[in-house]
Structure formats: structure tokens, C-alpha cells
Amino acid sequence: MDVSRTYDVLILGGGNAALCAAITARRAGRSVALLECAPKHFRGGNSRHTRNFRCMHDAPSDGLTDTYPEEEYWQDLLKVTGGETNEKLARITIRFTATCRKWMAEHGVRFQPSLGGTLHVSRTNAFFLGGGKALINAYYRAAEALGVEISYDTEVTDLNIDDGRFMSALAVRHGIEQEVRAKTVVAAAGGFEANLAWLREAWGPAADNFLVRGTPYNVGRVLRILLDKGAKSIGDATQGHCVAIDARSPKFDGGICTRVDCVSLGVVVNESAYRFYDEGEDFWPKRYAIWGRLVAGQPNQIAYSIIDAKSVGKFMPPVFPPIKAATIGELAVALKLDASVLESTIGQFNAAVRPGTFDHTVLDGCATEGISPPKTHWARRIDTPPFFAYPLRPGITFTYLGVTVNERAQMMLQDDRPSPNIFAAGEIMAGNVLGKGYIAGIGMAIGTAFGRIAGEEAARCAA
Amino acid sequence: MPPSAIPAALVEEGQRMASICNACRYCEGFCAVFPALERRLSFAEGDLTYLANLCHNCGSCYYACQYAPPHEFQLNFPKMLAEVRGESYKKYAWPATLSGLFQRNGRVVSLITAASLVAFVLAMLFFSDPSALFSAHSDSQGSFYAVFPHRAMAWIFGVIFLMVTAALIMGSVRFWRDIGEEPATFLSPGPFAKSVDDAARLIYLGGGGDGCTYPDDKPSYARRRFHHLTFYGFMSCFAATGVAPVYHYVLGWSAPYPFWSLPVMLGTLGSIGLLIGPAGLLWLKERRDSALTADSQTGMDVAFLVLLFIVSLTGLLLLVLRETAAMGTLLAIHLGVVMGLFITMPYGKFVHAVYRFAALVRFHVERRRPSPGLSAE
């Protein structure tokens, strides 16, 4: 970054949305500087951990099967958000995904058929070859080749905003604070999920037991500054994408491999060794996103997924080995649970299992009767040793609290005027479309659509 | 069964890394390694040597890896596989007592080559008239055999060829058994044909569409192109060597053959490939991202490439200068390095071709078996 000049477009952030904005603005002929707070190795924000994005399409292509029309996409989004979405912005995103794959491919992104164990999204989600980091690498190469000035290890510490108009940014690099001037700014710096203090503010002490599945660099600095300086907020600080992940995962940055996919095959107990939710409510891909919250609601935010030998090899292999024991009592000891309570929980569960034909690929008829909570599908007795357990904790992936935008990606001010030269894209504004709940691949869809819109609008504004 | 030779710490590290990859699976589209890995829930030593030899070391997975260093998982999957691969060469070497030749292989190959060069010069001085060795001969005089009897040449290379073939076959048998396959499955026609196709086109140096990330993170087809020149150059020279005995014994034509004859044409084209290919591969290797190089193997790789280069260089010089007084000396040098190349084939970088091909066959054999797979969740 060159502090002596005034850039046309300044991009805050270095993930998918930031790069889409940077490349678009640069291709429109504008001078562009991009400030990424992570070092080069960890560049890309949470996009680094993604693997696909949800695509509207009317014919199979790029690994996508069948068709996924706009209306179905919209209904899926409406269902998970319970209406906490802006239809206009949602439909812009959806329509964008129908056409943006060509642009992505032109900038080096490659697609592949859905990965092993992810057949359920082969129709709706286009997978990036090599995952999100490969996509990010391709975009950085494209951005560099186009002449976007990229600055790593550069954290934005303040923004000079005058009556909703961006003037300059203060950024610290290698301990030196400098002022970067630009005609327009695109805020694409993600949410605050890695800011433990902010999570605690929203969730209370329970947040101390959360694991942050994504990048440690999303501490919400830019979001905080914008909210403090007149941006109209959207969403609720406790809303986010939060799944139950292996409790042994790293505090930050564990990514995809920390998932545990055997919940629907067994039972889940809390630290008192009691079950607390229907493990077989629906297919796991439709339920995994609620289990982070469910575990967050349990004492000390810990739970244990327990299966028996029948389920081995029937789910995606987790990264950590299971805790294994020959009897339920021994398993309880290994998990430091009360053995008699766990034996009685499993005993009652086993006694409640009704006969049925187990089939994990359909909503089968295997259910319990007479216990609460019930297990409504895939209920099989846990009776075949050895027994296995995976400890679970809430793993927060991204947060939905953000800034409101309009259809031109302009950031809205508290008095409902759009800022003349502040644009927002990606997770920092995803709450406009996804206010609640989660569907796979929506984050990258929003980031790509609004990243490109923000880049285009900023380029026009800086002309 | 060959003795377990891979250091336990390396196997453990391999198992740790493979478990992370199996849980992540993002790299599935790059090559055959990840689909093969996903068929497994645990990774025995034989599984790791299989995956290691299936890996073409293109680097795409490393650059795409969200867990690559400095991430705390310290996942450098291709480098680990390269180390396992190096160890597996020792493990499967036949006879086992010679597996030590893979230790400091660069030096070993250089010494053996130097020794065979000296042996050839001495043999020529012994077999032929020293005055013939250092004077010019016309092609019509059967220049080569004027300095070195055909019979001796045929015997020496015939015996070495048989020994090398035996060692390579035994090595691949040991590999095939250790990864858990029955001998008969190796010759399954479908998988075998598919593997020939994969190897002939080097599809796994394609990195999933834009070339492999070699020598750095930018996808490029440079490595595939240089490898093609090397491989087809080698095959062309090999074919020349195969045609020449037919000329000699069947047709009764004595070498040296005219420039436009089949052996010379094949040899010349092959040698040109074997000059440019290895030189290009060396040039790329020099620029290779150090994060991905297994230092213990650089010597082996370089020695093989340099040897190929010298073989083709001396061969071409011999062609050009064969009617001059330098011919005798050049012939001794050329035959010496060719012999060095042949002797070290089962104990150097060449074995990668054998094990990688076998691993490809295993991959295609396995693909035709029902997947132990997971229900569609």
C-alpha cells in the first residue's frame, strides 16, 4: 500500500468477497488496494475453510447434477431463516449464482463433482477443486496479475467517516500505523466469531467453551468500527452458523475435519449422562447445524455422541479417534460420566427401541417409544461392543450480526440513507440474506454475489 | 513378506496425516491418491506405501491445504508421502542386502557409474588393440567393433539386462504383496490398460486441469512436458537398443548403422528428448518450493537425471564423431555410463516408474471393487 496516493477503491479484508470485489473493480480500470490482516499463509478468512457454494442452475454443469431452480432455492432459504431474510437481496444472490461460475473459472477457480460422502448436496452445491483455499489462491494470483496492491499482516484499526462518507483508513502493519486514503471502500472483513470477548458479550459465560472453527483473524474489528460510526446493523449477535464438533479440536481454525457425523446413528448424552434431543429427527445434513446450539445449551457446553460397533464405518471418518470401551460402564468411566446413570440411560433407550428395518439412507421406521426425548428414526439398540464415544462442543463457524446493505451493496446508515462510498460484502453483511439458520454453501454464494456487486458499484462510484 | 522397514515414527506421522485428509477430503479431485485414501478407515504400513507410490508429487494438495504449516496440524501430506516413498524403495529392494544402496543414493550412483566407466576403458584396452582405440575408423570398417568386440558387448549388456529385470520384477512383487494384493490381479486387463493410459499421458501431472503446482504454487504443465520428453526419449532409445540386435542377428547388418536407419533415428530422437527432458526437470527441481522437497532424496533424483543426460549427450557425440579418432574414447565413456545407468536402475530413481505403475494398477483394480463406502448421509 502506498500512503502517498489516493486509491480509487480500498478493500478491507482478504477472503472470497474481498477478492471478488478487488478483481471486479480492478478490471473496471480502477486502482485497488487490498488490506488483509492475516499473514500470507493464513490469508482468505473463512473462505479458506469452505468447499462449495450453492448454485441455482437449470442444467447439469461444473459437477452439479440435475437442476436447482430459483424458486426452490428461495424456498429453502426461507425455510431455514424462518423469514429472517431480505427477499430482494436473497433473490439477487440466487440469480447471481446462476451465472457467476463462468467468471469464477476465468479467474482460475476450478470445479469438481461433489466429494465423497456429500452426495446430498451434489444437486445444489458446486464444489471447488481443492476446496476454498485453492479458490482463494486462484483469486490472489488473478488479483496480483491484474495489479491489485495486496498488503498482508495489515490490520485496520480505525476508519475516518464523515457523515457516512468514507475518507481514509488507519492500518497497522509491522507495528507501524499508517493512513490509507481512497475514494471508496469495500468492507469485506468478515464477522466477529474469533473475538472471544464479543462472543461472551452475546452468549454469556457459555461462550468460553465454544471452539472457533474458522479463522482466528475474524475478530470483527471493521464491523465494530462501522457499527460505532453510524452503520445500520442487521441480525442478532447470538445468531451464527454453529455446529457440534469434536471437543478435542483446536480452539481456532479446525475447519471441516473437526465434524462428527455419527449423531444420528447413536445417542447423545450430556455431562450428566442424560439424553437431551431427538438424534434421529431428520437427515444429518439437515440437522447438523442445530447441534452446535443444542450442545451450547447443555451444562458446561459438552456432550458425547455414543455409538456401538454396528455403526463403525457408516459415517464420514472423524479426525480424532473415538474413545473406546468394552462395556457402557467402562465407557462412562473413560468419559468421566456417572456410570450408573449412563447405563440406565442406554438401558432405557435400548428398551424403548421398537422393531423396524434400519436404513440410514431413508427416514426409516426405526423409532423409540415411551421415552423422552424420543429418537424418531434410525433408533437401534446400543448393544454391540465395543462402544465408542466422541466428545462434542459447539463449534462456531461464522456470525450473522452485520451491517445492512441495499441492492447496490451500499452500506446503510442508521437514518436509512445509503452511504455514498462505503460498500459491504461477504460475512459482514450476510445477515441481510441469512438472518438465522443455515444452508450449506450460502455464505460463499452471498460473498461472490455481493463481492462482485460491491466491486462494480465502488468502481462506478470512484470513476 | 519383506521385513517391515519403514521407521515407526514415519508410519505414525503418516497415519495421523491420512486421518486428517480422510476427514477433510477437499483434495479428492486432484489425483488418484485421495479417492484411494477414502476407501480406508485406517492406514497400515502397506496402505501408506501404496498411497506414497501412487502420489506423483505434484504439490496441488499442499497448496490447497487449509492445514498446511504453519497451521497447528502441520499437514504436509505430499512431503510425508515422499519420505515414505523413499523408505519404500529400500523396503522392496531386491536382493534386500542391496537396499543400503538407496542410502546416499546420489553418491552411490555416481560411484557405480564411475566404476563401470573405468571398467569399460580397461576392458577395451584389454580386448582390443590400443592403437585401434585411439585412431579414426570409417563406418564401413565397422568402427565400434574394431575397438570392442560385439560378442563381449552383447554378453555384458545381456547379463546386466537380465539381472536388472529380475531385480525390478522382484521389487514389484514384494511391493504388490505388501500392499495386500494377489499376484494374479496385477494382470487384470482393464485396470492394466487403464494404468498404461494414465502413465502414457501422465494424467496425474495435470493437477486437476491446469497442470501441477510445480515448481511453485502456480499451476503449470512444464513438469509434464519435460517428463514426457524424458520418458518417450528413454523409450525411443530403448526401442533403438531393441531394433539393433534384430538388424545384427536377423538381418545380418553390422553397426554402425547409417543415420537414416531405424536404430539411429530412434536413438537420435530419443537422445534429444533425453537431453531436453532431464535438463528441464533438473531446472524445475532447482526451483522447487523447498517446503515440498524431501532432502534425503534430492541426491537420488539429481543423480538419475544427470546420468540420463550424460548417456544421451555421449550417445549423440558418438554419432557425430564416430568416424574420428575420438570414437574409441567416446565409445568407452558412453558404454560405461550406459552400464552405470543399467546397473543402478533397480537401486535408484528409476524404480519410481515400476512402483508407480503398480500403484496405478492397484488403484484401478480397487476401483472396480465395491466401495466399502459410507451411506449417502
Side-chain angles (χ1 to χ4, degrees):
Chain A
M1 61 186 180
D2 179 353
V3 292
S4 65
R5 64 187 286 194
T6 299
Y7 289 98
D8 291 327
V9 181
L10 178 66
I11 313 276
L12 312 180
N16 172 53
L19 288 158
C20 285
I23 293 169
T24 305
R26 182 73 196 117
R27 288 199 57 164
R30 302 297 169 262
S31 60
V32 180
L34 180 148
L35 312 183
E36 161 63 300
C37 72
K40 190 174 178 187
H41 272 110
F42 288 116
R43 67 187 181 184
N46 273 340
S47 309
R48 224 162 64 76
H49 288 297
T50 64
R51 58 180 181 179
N52 61 31
F53 81 124
R54 188 166 283 255
C55 271
M56 165 185 165
H57 58 105
D58 53 19
S61 70
D62 295 326
L64 289 157
T65 56
D66 203 4
T67 68
Y68 189 46
E70 178 182 337
E71 200 50 33
E72 189 187 351
Y73 197 148
W74 163 242
Q75 289 300 331
D76 285 346
L77 188 60
L78 196 58
K79 199 159 63 188
V80 297
T81 57
E84 299 274 320
T85 176
N86 175 328
E87 181 168 354
K88 195 152 102 190
L89 302 183
R91 286 192 186 269
I92 287 172
T93 302
I94 293 170
R95 285 176 202 145
F96 216 95
T97 65
T99 54
C100 67
R101 291 196 307 282
K102 186 168 169 283
W103 184 89
M104 293 167 77
E106 277 166 18
H107 295 93
V109 177
R110 296 291 172 262
F111 296 96
Q112 65 180 345
S114 73
L115 303 176
T118 63
L119 250 183
H120 57 281
V121 285
S122 65
R123 183 173 71 88
T124 52
N125 290 40
F127 281 72
F128 317 131
L129 178 67
K133 191 173 167 189
L135 169 140
I136 287 296
N137 290 344
Y139 281 160
Y140 271 105
R141 275 198 300 274
E144 269 165 20
L146 287 165
V148 172
E149 290 183 30
I150 294 160
S151 182
Y152 298 108
D153 293 300
T154 307
E155 190 181 13
V156 172
T157 49
D158 204 3
L159 300 173
N160 291 318
I161 296 172
D162 179 22
D163 189 29
R165 173 177 283 277
F166 167 81
M167 312 301 284
S168 67
L170 291 178
V172 174
R173 184 158 187 265
H174 304 321
I176 301 161
E177 189 170 66
Q178 289 175 305
E179 187 177 7
V180 191
R181 281 181 294 275
K183 292 181 190 164
T184 64
V185 71
V186 176
F192 66 91
E193 61 276 353
N195 186 327
L196 303 178
W198 197 339
L199 287 178
R200 202 166 204 274
E201 218 174 278
W203 282 85
D208 295 349
N209 287 322
F210 287 11
L211 300 173
V212 180
R213 217 177 168 206
T215 174
Y217 296 93
N218 275 11
V219 293
R221 195 90 184 239
V222 171
L223 174 61
R224 183 82 269 168
I225 296 166
L226 290 174
L227 291 175
D228 289 347
K229 298 201 170 185
K232 184 180 181 183
S233 75
I234 189 139
D236 172 347
T238 66
Q239 290 299 330
H241 179 35
C242 183
V243 303
I245 63 171
D246 198 301
R248 296 163 290 181
S249 307
K251 181 72 178 172
F252 293 102
D253 228 8
I256 189 80
C257 78
T258 57
R259 64 156 173 247
V260 175
D261 281 350
C262 58
V263 165
S264 62
L265 289 161
V267 296
V268 178
V269 299
N270 60 20
E271 66 165 12
S272 310
Y274 292 114
R275 290 176 60 243
F276 54 89
Y277 197 83
D278 178 1
E279 300 89 348
E281 190 175 47
D282 203 342
F283 291 112
W284 182 237
K286 292 188 177 174
R287 280 294 166 269
Y288 73 99
I290 70 166
W291 275 84
R293 261 165 201 285
L294 289 172
V295 174
Q298 295 304 308
N300 290 319
Q301 294 71 50
I302 184 102
Y304 302 90
S305 172
I306 297 173
I307 56 170
D308 69 4
K310 294 196 293 291
S311 298
V312 170
K314 301 291 185 222
F315 56 97
M316 289 283 277
V319 69
F320 298 105
I323 294 143
K324 182 176 163 183
T327 65
I328 294 293
E330 285 169 27
L331 190 65
V333 172
L335 298 174
K336 298 193 175 67
L337 301 179
D338 186 313
S340 59
V341 179
L342 186 63
E343 280 167 349
S344 118
T345 297
I346 301 290
Q348 282 172 27
F349 173 80
N350 286 350
V353 170
R354 293 298 112 214
T357 308
F358 175 84
D359 184 351
H360 202 214
T361 63
V362 298
L363 289 168
D364 71 1
C366 295
T368 57
E369 203 177 277
I371 52 165
S372 179
K375 185 175 179 187
T376 49
H377 303 95
W378 312 300
R380 281 195 297 184
R381 288 192 184 90
I382 296 176
D383 57 4
T384 312
F387 302 97
F388 303 94
Y390 294 94
L392 304 175
R393 287 232 182 255
I396 188 147
T397 305
F398 64 91
T399 49
Y400 298 171
L401 173 73
V403 299
T404 308
V405 296
N406 65 12
E407 68 279 8
R408 293 171 59 198
Q410 285 174 297
M411 189 185 81
M412 302 301 288
L413 303 168
Q414 278 153 14
D415 56 12
D416 279 323
R417 279 179 304 144
S419 161
N421 66 346
I422 306 177
F423 303 85
E427 188 185 337
I428 204 167
M429 51 61 70
N432 288 270
V433 177
L434 187 75
K436 208 177 92 179
Y438 182 70
I439 46 171
I442 189 71
M444 290 297 273
I446 298 168
T448 307
F450 277 88
R452 293 203 46 213
I453 293 167
E456 229 165 73
E457 293 292 339
R460 185 174 303 152
C461 178
Chain B
M1 290 287 283
S4 164
I6 315 273
L10 181 56
V11 171
E12 248 168 66
E13 181 65 350
Q15 289 164 337
R16 181 187 77 87
M17 290 189 181
S19 301
I20 298 172
C21 294
N22 206 10
C24 168
R25 304 191 166 196
Y26 284 12
C27 293
E28 193 182 290
F30 283 133
C31 67
V33 171
F34 297 95
L37 180 150
E38 289 173 20
R39 298 181 69 92
R40 294 162 165 78
L41 287 173
S42 59
F43 302 91
E45 190 178 312
D47 294 315
L48 289 175
T49 55
Y50 162 50
L51 297 175
N53 282 288
L54 194 53
C55 169
H56 290 51
N57 204 9
C58 79
S60 297
C61 64
Y62 170 77
Y63 294 107
C65 183
Q66 55 191 315
Y67 303 116
H71 189 280
E72 65 179 276
F73 283 177
Q74 294 287 322
L75 186 61
N76 189 336
F77 195 57
K79 185 173 179 181
M80 179 277 295
L81 289 180
E83 283 161 4
V84 171
R85 196 160 52 240
E87 294 295 330
S88 78
Y89 293 168
K90 290 181 209 164
K91 180 178 180 180
Y92 303 126
W94 184 89
T97 46
L98 293 183
S99 68
L101 296 181
F102 279 103
Q103 214 75 270
R104 296 186 179 175
N105 187 259
R107 197 171 301 178
V108 167
V109 168
S110 314
L111 285 174
I112 291 177
T113 307
S116 59
L117 208 155
V118 171
F120 249 96
V121 173
L122 291 177
M124 276 196 195
L125 290 170
F126 177 77
F127 278 117
S128 61
D129 178 359
S131 67
L133 196 53
F134 299 108
S135 58
H137 305 265
S138 71
D139 282 358
S140 57
Q141 293 172 303
S143 58
F144 297 157
Y145 306 131
V147 297
F148 199 76
H150 178 266
R151 184 181 288 264
M153 218 187 283
W155 268 102
I156 291 169
F157 280 98
V159 169
I160 291 173
F161 180 76
L162 288 178
M163 280 167 50
V164 164
T165 309
L168 290 174
I169 289 175
M170 287 307 293
S172 48
V173 166
R174 300 174 73 149
F175 171 65
W176 195 251
R177 271 201 211 130
D178 194 43
I179 63 175
E181 287 295 333
E182 294 297 319
T185 54
F186 183 72
L187 294 170
S188 321
F192 196 90
K194 190 78 188 63
S195 306
V196 170
D197 185 58
D198 286 351
R201 293 191 292 138
L202 289 175
I203 65 159
Y204 296 117
L205 293 188
D210 298 299
C212 57
T213 41
Y214 195 106
D216 57 22
D217 64 337
K218 276 180 285 304
S220 145
Y221 283 117
R223 183 161 172 243
R224 181 193 275 180
R225 289 179 183 134
F226 286 129
H227 194 290
H228 273 326
L229 284 167
T230 307
F231 174 75
Y232 288 102
F234 185 87
M235 292 310 276
S236 184
C237 288
F238 194 74
T241 317
V243 172
V246 176
Y247 270 39
H248 186 87
Y249 292 111
V250 182
L251 304 173
W253 300 339
S254 234
Y257 301 112
F259 185 78
W260 294 110
S261 68
L262 194 56
V264 177
M265 283 299 291
L266 285 171
T268 307
L269 284 176
S271 297
I272 291 168
L274 269 183
L275 277 182
I276 303 170
L281 290 174
L282 278 167
W283 177 70
L284 291 177
K285 187 169 281 296
E286 176 64 30
R287 275 150 193 78
R288 175 65 150 164
D289 184 340
S290 60
L292 282 157
T293 43
D295 295 332
S296 56
Q297 284 153 51
T298 306
M300 173 176 79
D301 299 353
V302 170
F304 183 60
L305 290 168
V306 168
L307 197 47
L308 287 174
F309 185 87
I310 295 175
V311 163
S312 57
L313 183 69
T314 53
L316 284 173
L317 283 175
L318 192 56
L319 174 71
V320 176
L321 303 175
R322 68 188 184 185
E323 290 190 273
T324 72
M327 184 277 288
T329 315
L330 269 175
L331 184 67
I333 292 172
H334 180 63
L335 291 178
V337 287
V338 170
M339 190 161 90
L341 175 70
F342 271 91
I343 290 174
T344 55
M345 263 165 86
Y347 313 106
K349 176 71 178 178
F350 178 81
V351 296
H352 83 279
V354 177
Y355 297 134
R356 184 143 314 142
F357 181 74
L360 282 168
V361 175
R362 190 348 158 60
F363 173 68
H364 290 297
V365 164
E366 239 181 19
R367 277 231 292 209
R368 283 163 169 76
R369 293 179 185 148
S371 166
L374 316 157
S375 52
E377 292 181 61

